């Protein structure tokens, strides 16, 4: 069942990269995506169209995860936009900004419920980024904008270091 869910999620995300179809995800689906037995380094960016620091860092996330794609680095952009933005406004915004990455929309309204499921210290502020390598145990959460050079350093750590 777990493999079926993961395959379904990846097929949704693959479709999103080409046509900007944006699937809805519950926090439990995000948790399953993270906990999947994987050799990939996962970068999950929580963002919104109205968040200037979020939008500013996404191009470097896309460029660097593409640079390290052969090292099994994957990016998922999870929009925290309002329900009225889903899916049309988010998709249009992503196309206008050339965000050709896997995008999903978090179908949750209670930050007190979903934030601690990702990091116990997350206040709910964005941008927020989670970098995980389940194979090595690496996990780092950022509740701030990340400069491209710092992001690349963290990716390199995630690819080689065991926490």
């Amino acid at each position: 069942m777990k493999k079926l869910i993961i395959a379904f999620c990846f097929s949704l995300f693959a479709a999103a990269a080409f046509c900007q179809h944006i699937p809805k995800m519950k926090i439990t689906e995000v948790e399953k995506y993270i906990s999947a037995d994987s050799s990939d380094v996962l970068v999950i960016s929580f963002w919104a169209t109205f968040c200037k620091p979020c939008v500013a860092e996404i191009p470097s996330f896309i460029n660097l995860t593409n640079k390290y794609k052969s090292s099994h680095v994957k990016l998922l952009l999870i929009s925290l936009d309002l329900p009225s933005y889903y899916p049309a406004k988010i998709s249009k915004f992503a196309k206008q900004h050339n965000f050709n990455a896997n995008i999903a929309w978090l179908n949750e309204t209670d930050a007190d419920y979903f934030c601690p499921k990702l990091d116990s210290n997350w206040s709910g502020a964005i941008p927020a980024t989670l970098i995980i390598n389940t194979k090595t145990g690496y996990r780092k959460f950022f509740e701030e904008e990340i400069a491209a050079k710092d992001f690349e350093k963290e990716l390199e750590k995630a690819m080689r270091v065991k926490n």
Side-chain angles (χ1 to χ4, degrees), residues 2 5 34 49 53 57 64 86 95 106 126-127 146 161:
K2 186 177 183 180
I5 290 169
I34 290 169
T49 58
E57 71 183 2
L64 288 166
Y86 177 79
K95 286 178 187 176
L106 189 64
I126 52 175
I146 307 170
V161 173

Side-chain angles (χ1 to χ4, degrees), residues 30 34 42-46 118-119 128-132 139-142 146:
V30 176
I34 290 169
L42 305 176
V43 177
I44 304 172
S45 173
F46 296 89
L118 296 166
D119 188 270
T129 306
L130 183 58
I131 303 172
I132 301 170
R139 181 181 180 104
K140 185 122 184 208
F141 184 80
F142 299 87
I146 307 170

Side-chain angles (χ1 to χ4, degrees), residues 18-136:
F18 295 105
C19 66
Q20 291 303 331
H21 167 75
I22 300 173
K24 292 181 187 180
M25 290 184 84
K26 299 300 272 180
I27 194 61
T28 53
E29 294 169 299
V30 176
E31 289 175 311
K32 287 175 187 170
Y33 175 73
I34 290 169
S35 66
D37 187 278
S38 173
S39 61
D40 297 324
V41 173
L42 305 176
V43 177
I44 304 172
S45 173
F46 296 89
W47 69 289
T49 58
F50 58 81
C51 171
K52 288 185 181 190
C54 301
V55 173
E57 71 183 2
I58 289 173
S60 65
F61 286 5
I62 293 169
N63 290 336
L64 288 166
T65 55
N66 283 339
K67 176 181 175 180
Y68 292 105
K69 188 175 275 186
S70 65
S71 297
H72 302 280
V73 175
K74 294 189 177 182
L75 174 64
L76 174 59
L77 304 174
I78 299 182
S79 168
L80 300 181
D81 280 292
L82 297 171
S84 63
Y85 278 57
Y86 177 79
K89 289 182 181 179
I90 299 167
S91 181
K92 181 179 178 184
F93 186 89
K95 286 178 187 176
Q96 288 173 335
H97 288 83
N98 296 314
F99 290 174
N100 72 352
N102 298 324
I103 301 173
W105 176 68
L106 189 64
N107 186 17
E108 300 283 358
T109 57
D110 185 356
D112 290 334
Y113 169 69
F114 73 79
C115 287
K117 288 187 164 287
L118 296 166
D119 188 270
S120 60
N121 295 314
W122 186 17
S123 71
I126 52 175
T129 306
L130 183 58
I131 303 172
I132 301 170
N133 184 336
T134 56
K135 188 175 181 178
T136 65

